[in-house]
Amino acid sequence: MNKMAPDVNAELKLKLYNLQRQPLPFHPLIMVFSTGSISAEDCVPMAREPMPAVGTPFSNNLASVFEEAVGLNPSIHDGAVIFSRESKDDEYRLCAWSMRIVSDRVPDHAEPNVGSAHNSALALSLAPGVDLCVILSKGGSVLFEKGSISRSGRH
């Protein structure tokens, strides 16, 4: 397992740690954080009707946002939730639900038999503008940054 680079925003990691410990309406929860937009070569939207609102800042109250979204459309749990910001000085805001990760980027190292969500998030973490990919589960979290992996909790 690779160690994560030390330049991940500590405040973001703390919010992720707190979110993972809250009762979430679905697992795993896949989140992607980017500065700028993510290319359609790496992520594509899945049609959902109705589609929950976007624009919510990434904060400690997101469990209720996810619960409301699942109440509106139970299929929203499928795919990644994207949080984006214009520049490194801005806050991350929810900008897309139910995104399919289609990145074909090839990391230097990939673990066998860990599932498509894991492998897709690892590949997407190499895309330009992607700051961090995260998979939250009941047992912990996996963070992917520039092809490196960091874990917390049980897996």
Side-chain angles (χ1 to χ4, degrees), residues 30 32 34 37-45 80 82 98-106 119-130 133:
I30 304 167
V32 179
S34 70
S37 61
I38 298 174
S39 168
E41 293 177 4
D42 291 307
C43 263
V44 296
I82 309 295
S98 253
M99 296 294 285
R100 180 173 312 219
I101 299 173
V102 295
S103 181
D104 64 357
R105 298 173 193 281
V106 179
N119 292 330
S120 295
L122 179 59
L124 182 60
S125 76
L126 295 166
V130 172
C133 296

Side-chain angles (χ1 to χ4, degrees), residues 4-10 13 85 88 131 145-146:
M4 188 181 322
D7 62 342
V8 172
N9 182 314
K13 286 177 59 177
R85 61 186 181 178
K88 293 195 182 287
D131 302 323
E145 183 188 24
K146 307 288 183 237

